[in-house]
Amino acid sequence: TDTLGTPKLILLPSPYGLTDKAWTDIEVRVRAGAVLLVTGPFSADEHLHQTDRAHRLGIPQILAPLQSRNQSLQGPTGALPLQFSGLDTTILDQATLPQGKTWTELPLGQGKILFSTLPLELNEYLQSIATVYAYALKTAGVHSAYTTNVTNPGILICPTTYPHATLYVITSETNTTPITFTDTRSNKTFSGTIAAGRAALLLVGEKGELLARYGWHE
């Protein structure tokens, strides 16, 4: 979202069913300028009955069973490998497009829809998901609130940007470890630790001043 709380990027992962009101609310946001990333078929209503939602937007998708375990998403950054395991190939659906396309983009009002025919988040290649998300963020003009060299998957840094400050919520699902990140707005670097299994809060001013903190040890 931007500083006024207006979403710049909306993610709609499959499988799901949406009421007409929920879909209309999303469509209004996109027409106002947001980017919508849809992964997998998206025409089902709240009872999982199919509607003509996609066709009304100009996406000629056809619902089909997901039968192949190994797939390739021909996306905007090239071919991305996908793998579906377990019962995925017996219970999941995919969308199909003319000429076998697995990715398409189309404008909607002032916004844009990015559409993957495959249920991206349910595949096992996480890097392929990350690549598509990075492209969607770039398309929506979303800039990172911070940078970090932390690669530990047990550390989550979640920023919320306000007009004159950024609130960082940091959680740890790993052993106590040093955490260093740089606030993009102020270019101020913060280093510290939080206890394993705990969370910390940091409120950073637009000039890099630490306005408040909880659970953060320098």
Side-chain angles (χ1 to χ4, degrees):
T1 63
D2 60 22
T3 55
L4 298 178
T6 302
K8 299 178 70 174
L9 175 65
I10 303 171
L11 172 63
L12 201 57
S14 182
Y16 46 77
L18 294 176
T19 64
D20 287 338
K21 182 182 184 307
W23 173 253
T24 298
D25 289 346
I26 291 173
E27 190 174 330
V28 167
R29 296 286 191 175
V30 176
R31 289 185 182 278
V35 171
L36 173 64
L37 171 60
V38 186
T39 57
F42 64 98
S43 289
D45 65 14
E46 67 271 30
H47 305 294
L48 299 184
H49 297 154
Q50 293 300 306
T51 71
D52 63 347
R53 234 171 247 160
H55 289 269
R56 290 201 306 264
L57 294 175
I59 301 177
Q61 72 162 19
I62 298 176
L63 194 66
L66 180 68
Q67 296 179 324
S68 299
R69 193 169 300 277
N70 293 291
Q71 303 256 10
S72 178
L73 175 66
Q74 301 295 327
T77 60
L80 298 174
L82 305 179
Q83 181 173 303
F84 300 92
S85 63
L87 296 176
D88 287 351
T89 53
T90 61
I91 63 175
L92 294 181
D93 290 322
Q94 68 178 73
T96 61
L97 293 173
Q99 289 82 51
K101 289 184 178 180
T102 54
W103 177 272
T104 190
E105 303 181 14
L106 73 155
L108 183 63
Q110 299 180 48
K112 195 173 191 178
I113 295 178
L114 313 178
F115 177 50
S116 161
T117 63
L118 294 160
L120 183 67
E121 291 80 5
L122 298 179
N123 103 95
E124 295 188 348
Y125 287 117
L126 299 183
Q127 184 55 52
S128 294
I129 302 174
T131 299
V132 173
Y133 279 18
Y135 175 79
L137 288 167
K138 182 179 180 180
T139 302
V142 177
H143 303 289
S144 177
Y146 71 93
T147 59
T148 183
N149 291 324
V150 175
T151 58
N152 189 329
I155 299 295
L156 173 66
I157 304 175
C158 182
T160 301
T161 302
Y162 298 100
H164 301 291
T166 303
L167 175 64
Y168 289 95
V169 179
I170 305 174
T171 60
S172 172
E173 292 293 339
T174 185
N175 293 336
T176 301
T177 182
I179 302 170
T180 298
F181 69 94
T182 300
D183 177 63
T184 303
R185 179 187 286 181
S186 64
N187 202 33
K188 178 69 178 294
T189 298
F190 298 87
S191 297
T193 61
I194 59 176
R198 303 299 295 272
L201 300 174
L202 288 84
L203 184 63
V204 179
E206 58 186 334
K207 296 181 180 180
E209 64 274 32
L210 187 57
L211 301 175
R213 68 180 179 181
Y214 171 80
W216 177 258
H217 306 285
E218 295 181 338

